[in-house]
Amino acid sequence: MAPHRVKSSEVWNHFTQNEYQKAKCDYCSSILSTSGGSMNNFLRHLKTVHSTIPLNRNQRNLTVENIEELAESSISQPSTSNNGAAASTASRPQGLSRRSQEGQSSISTYFNQTTPLNVNNQKPIDHQLTKMIVKGYYPFDIVEDEEFKSLLKMLNGGYSLPSRKTISNTLIPNLYHQTYEQVKTLMTDSFAVCLTTDGWTSVKNESFMGITAHFINEDALLQSVSLGCEMFDDKHTTNNLSTYLKNTVKEWNIQYKITAVVSDNAPNIVGAIKKCNFRHVPCFAHSINLVVQSGLKEMSGVQKKVKSIVEYFKRSSHALSKLQSTQNQMGLIPLKLKQDVVTRWNSTQDMFQRIIQIKNAVISTMALLQCDVEPLTASEWMIVENASEVLKIFSEITMEMSSEKYVSMSKVLIFIRVMVGTMESFEKNMALPDMTKKMVTTLLEKLNSRFKGYEDNEIITQAALLDPRFKKLAFDGYHDRKLEIAMDQLKAKVCQVTITETENPTTVLGTNNNSVASTSTSLVWKMFDDQYSQNNVRVNPTAAGIIELDKYMNEPPINRHEDPLKWWTAHKLLYPHLFIIVKKRLCILATSVPCERLFSKAGLVITERRNRMLASKSSKVLFLNQNL
């Protein structure tokens, strides 16, 4: 056999010979010919397709003998005579080769090595570096930072940092395509998908549309992925938004899997969803926010005075320092005041709650500084304290419903009843100040008007009934007729479900038994077996689902702290028809908060210091940030 020939050309750092006279590119897997021994076609491929990758960034592959000689020369002490080399040879035990004597490389050898890594060892580090940049919102030019370079050199001197252009033009697009294919596989394997969508404007005054997808995976976990946050140049009309939604679901091939789309109550996006023939679910948190904003109008004067106090301490560093000093003197943990934001849910209640926590420190500091800000009177402090108690229930429910990893739609009916009941109890409280009472009355009116008809919504009622924690308990406090209608709708839905043999092992078993019976040669049982088979085929498609539903409803509810999806995983073979509907209903989120979280991250990607980043590149970074 001919000895292995060392490939001395630097080009082989980027190609792998996989068969005779052919080699594969390590970056795009293109197959190139090596006939004639010329490297020109390799060089041409690198310059045209991978122009950002330096030719000599890695050392050529070495044979075992080359590596051993290089390692020994770097470890052994320098010698100026042959006697030193002889002494080194003499100190080695006889019968052991140099390689066997050195043994496995130590970790210190790895950290101290200066030999450039080959392509296979370079790629994983490049991948992790790219992941760190997109997940940690680091700028691309971090690879040009001298301190960062020194750190990596100390960790592994053989690693060659890619340039900023390589990160931007090669590594991020490659990682994006890999992640895109992984997400597409997830969407292909999904059974039913719920979408959330919303719009956002960046600091560059660029408009973006975001879409997230939510589904129950094979492990019975509620999984969320981002389908994109892309620049939307067109006007936000119903037609334009519907076209965008249609193109997105078609791109991911989920147009026949959409069970519902969750968004805010803006008419344009609601109309776009309905124009796509998708079911629209109003964002529960956004609806609560609208209710609270209406109630706060009854105490707008007091709210403005609180905001002015908070703004004073936010603007003046001297006042803030005095406030913290006063809290220390009173033996309190120093806390900062919170400012409310119109677009941020529950921020007003947070502002009220925080200023009440440090009420005495605020009053003392303002008196000491003799500021121009008008302080709150005793009666106004009472109004703020009562308002904070009233708004507390809305804050807790919003936090509870904002999860994207746990089932939330099944809680809607319960939380509506809780909010209405809480406001009714406050309305009966004669000790409340008149201003707070007006706020409570407005909140109660808005709750009844905005959430009217939710108990008739098929998606909401079926999600509640199919949650083993609630079932019929979700309808306590509603008219009995509402529960009857919801049960009839669910029965009709169950009767429409068809189970294939691959989805229901019990059906497969029954089919095998029927086939055996029908082919029986016994004259005694032939007539009975034929009659049984015909009756079984005629009854099972509708009766099986109703039997499942009755049996499920008669089971006691599980503890509310348990995961309903885990329960259904354990019982899906017992209730195969119901489980089909469960995957369509319990994957629906009650809020569009996942899109809000997506935009919060977008604000960290598109900043004043990174305003030159193209929108297409920003979209890829956000996609990777959400899905890696």
Side-chain angles (χ1 to χ4, degrees):
M1 180 181 294
H4 177 70
R5 193 178 74 177
V6 178
K7 298 179 178 64
S8 58
S9 175
E10 295 286 352
V11 176
W12 287 106
N13 291 331
H14 313 277
F15 294 88
T16 302
Q17 188 166 355
N18 57 353
E19 54 185 280
Y20 180 66
Q21 291 188 347
K22 287 187 179 180
K24 181 178 71 172
C25 176
D26 291 331
Y27 305 104
C28 62
S29 301
S30 298
I31 304 299
L32 303 178
S33 174
T34 61
S35 60
S38 174
M39 300 289 103
N40 290 335
N41 54 340
F42 286 11
L43 292 170
R44 191 181 305 110
H45 178 80
L46 287 175
K47 289 180 180 179
T48 56
V49 182
H50 309 292
S51 58
T52 59
I53 298 176
L55 178 64
N56 59 346
R57 67 183 286 191
N58 299 308
Q59 192 183 36
R60 63 183 176 83
N61 294 328
L62 302 175
T63 60
V64 174
E65 291 76 15
N66 295 140
I67 295 174
E68 289 179 355
E69 291 176 4
L70 181 61
E72 184 175 358
S73 64
S74 62
I75 296 174
S76 61
Q77 296 293 330
S79 176
T80 55
S81 65
N82 294 332
N83 294 336
S88 175
T89 305
S91 63
R92 187 188 313 133
Q94 293 184 357
L96 292 178
S97 65
R98 179 185 295 115
R99 185 181 183 187
S100 61
Q101 183 190 8
E102 291 176 357
Q104 188 176 6
S105 300
S106 64
I107 191 169
S108 60
T109 306
Y110 170 81
F111 282 112
N112 294 328
Q113 73 174 16
T114 56
T115 305
L117 300 176
N118 58 38
V119 174
N120 293 331
N121 292 332
Q122 179 95 9
K123 278 185 176 180
I125 306 179
D126 287 346
H127 173 86
Q128 186 58 38
L129 174 65
T130 309
K131 186 176 179 181
M132 180 198 79
I133 290 175
V134 298
K135 293 286 286 185
Y137 311 103
Y138 293 103
F140 297 163
D141 60 2
I142 189 176
V143 295
E144 299 173 353
D145 183 81
E146 294 300 327
E147 300 301 328
F148 186 67
K149 289 181 179 180
S150 299
L151 173 63
L152 290 186
K153 188 174 182 180
M154 292 171 65
L155 294 175
N156 189 340
Y159 175 64
S160 176
L161 263 174
S163 66
R164 177 177 59 83
K165 288 187 177 181
T166 302
I167 292 287
S168 178
N169 299 335
T170 302
L171 296 181
I172 284 182
N174 288 346
L175 185 58
Y176 172 80
H177 290 306
Q178 294 174 12
T179 309
Y180 180 91
E181 293 300 325
Q182 293 172 0
V183 174
K184 198 155 192 176
T185 301
L186 289 175
M187 302 312 300
T188 301
D189 296 339
S190 64
F191 179 77
V193 179
C194 166
L195 300 181
T196 71
T197 183
D198 205 350
W200 174 73
T201 303
S202 70
V203 294
K204 298 168 60 178
N205 199 27
E206 293 176 337
S207 178
F208 285 79
M209 284 296 297
I211 296 182
T212 65
H214 311 268
F215 54 94
I216 299 173
N217 63 12
E218 296 179 353
D219 299 325
L221 297 175
L222 191 56
Q223 190 164 356
S224 302
V225 295
S226 169
L227 299 186
C229 181
E230 300 177 357
M231 190 169 71
F232 192 81
D233 286 334
D234 299 329
K235 290 184 178 180
H236 287 207
T237 62
T238 296
N239 291 334
N240 291 338
L241 291 173
S242 64
T243 301
Y244 172 75
L245 287 174
K246 287 178 182 178
N247 292 338
T248 301
V249 297
K250 186 177 181 181
E251 176 187 355
W252 294 96
N253 196 26
I254 54 174
Q255 56 267 43
Y256 303 112
K257 298 181 179 181
I258 306 300
T259 185
V261 181
V262 186
S263 74
D264 59 21
N265 299 285
N268 54 350
I269 189 64
V270 174
I273 293 170
K274 292 181 178 179
K275 191 170 183 178
C276 294
N277 294 323
F278 299 145
R279 290 185 175 182
H280 174 254
V281 175
C283 174
F284 193 65
H286 184 250
S287 298
I288 291 177
N289 182 62
L290 295 176
V291 170
V292 172
Q293 294 296 336
S294 298
L296 286 171
K297 291 179 181 179
E298 300 296 338
M299 55 170 294
S300 58
V302 176
Q303 182 185 359
K304 288 180 180 178
K305 291 184 72 173
V306 175
K307 287 188 67 173
S308 63
I309 293 173
V310 175
E311 287 173 357
Y312 169 70
F313 285 102
K314 290 287 185 181
R315 290 195 308 265
S316 174
S317 59
H318 174 67
L320 179 60
S321 176
K322 279 291 184 182
L323 178 61
Q324 292 177 338
S325 176
T326 303
Q327 293 180 73
N328 287 326
Q329 292 174 6
M330 292 181 174
L332 303 174
I333 299 175
L335 297 174
K336 292 183 179 180
L337 293 172
K338 293 183 178 180
Q339 182 64 281
D340 69 342
V341 183
V342 176
T343 57
R344 189 167 183 177
W345 304 322
N346 300 325
S347 59
T348 302
Q349 199 273 340
D350 292 338
M351 179 179 69
F352 287 167
Q353 191 174 23
R354 177 55 58 86
I355 199 170
I356 292 169
Q357 283 181 281
I358 56 176
K359 171 184 174 181
N360 294 331
V362 170
I363 294 175
S364 299
T365 305
M366 291 181 66
L368 181 65
L369 296 175
Q370 297 181 351
C371 57
D372 296 333
V373 180
E374 184 180 0
L376 295 173
T377 63
S379 60
E380 288 173 339
W381 276 111
M382 182 67 68
I383 292 172
V384 172
E385 291 175 4
N386 284 280
S388 178
E389 288 298 318
V390 171
L391 297 177
K392 187 176 181 181
I393 186 66
F394 298 101
S395 176
E396 290 184 1
I397 288 178
T398 301
M399 293 294 293
E400 178 84 14
M401 297 295 275
S402 297
S403 171
E404 57 184 290
K405 295 183 179 179
Y406 303 99
V407 174
S408 58
M409 183 58 70
S410 58
K411 304 174 186 176
V412 167
L413 293 180
I414 297 175
F415 287 167
I416 292 175
R417 187 172 73 246
V418 169
M419 288 187 293
V420 171
T422 304
M423 292 304 105
E424 289 176 344
S425 64
F426 275 116
E427 195 176 37
K428 297 175 182 177
N429 187 353
M430 304 304 296
L432 285 179
D434 291 339
M435 188 177 292
T436 308
K437 263 195 173 181
K438 288 181 180 179
M439 183 181 72
V440 170
T441 302
T442 302
L443 289 171
L444 186 57
E445 291 176 356
K446 293 298 181 180
L447 282 172
N448 288 326
S449 62
R450 188 163 291 278
F451 295 113
K452 182 181 179 181
Y454 269 54
E455 67 275 11
D456 298 321
N457 188 301
E458 186 177 345
I459 291 177
I460 296 173
T461 57
Q462 290 177 8
L465 290 172
L466 292 173
D467 192 321
R469 299 171 296 177
F470 309 132
K471 299 182 182 179
K472 295 180 180 180
L473 294 177
F475 290 83
D476 285 353
Y478 294 95
H479 197 279
D480 292 341
R481 181 58 183 160
K482 300 293 184 181
L483 175 59
E484 293 177 9
I485 294 174
M487 286 295 298
D488 291 340
Q489 290 174 340
L490 184 56
K491 284 182 181 179
K493 193 76 175 177
V494 170
C495 291
Q496 296 174 2
V497 174
T498 56
I499 303 294
T500 62
E501 293 183 356
T502 56
E503 292 174 329
N504 186 9
T506 58
T507 304
V508 177
L509 181 61
T511 303
N512 290 340
N513 289 340
N514 293 338
S515 63
V516 172
S518 62
T519 57
S520 174
T521 57
S522 173
L523 296 176
V524 177
W525 290 105
K526 187 177 187 304
M527 183 178 297
F528 175 81
D529 289 341
D530 291 341
Q531 184 179 3
Y532 170 80
S533 299
Q534 294 174 3
N535 186 65
N536 198 34
V537 171
R538 184 173 62 253
V539 174
N540 274 345
T542 55
I546 297 177
I547 293 172
E548 284 182 22
L549 180 59
D550 292 339
K551 186 176 180 180
Y552 163 75
M553 296 303 297
N554 288 326
E555 287 201 31
I558 64 175
N559 190 290
R560 73 172 181 85
H561 297 289
E562 295 185 45
D563 187 348
L565 294 180
K566 288 185 178 179
W567 187 92
W568 275 110
T569 302
H571 294 79
K572 63 182 179 181
L573 296 182
L574 187 61
Y575 304 110
H577 292 78
L578 287 178
F579 187 65
I580 295 294
I581 306 176
V582 165
K583 290 189 289 185
K584 293 181 178 181
R585 292 292 178 260
L586 297 191
C587 72
I588 302 176
L589 301 187
T591 71
S592 59
V593 171
C595 259
E596 295 294 329
R597 294 195 179 105
L598 178 63
F599 296 146
S600 296
K601 294 182 178 180
L604 298 175
V605 172
I606 307 172
T607 62
E608 293 289 352
R609 295 188 62 184
R610 304 176 75 178
N611 57 13
R612 291 185 299 171
M613 183 186 294
L614 296 177
S616 57
K617 186 61 60 65
S618 303
S619 298
K620 290 181 179 179
V621 172
L622 280 170
F623 183 86
L624 292 172
N625 183 283
Q626 284 287 99
N627 296 322
L628 279 176

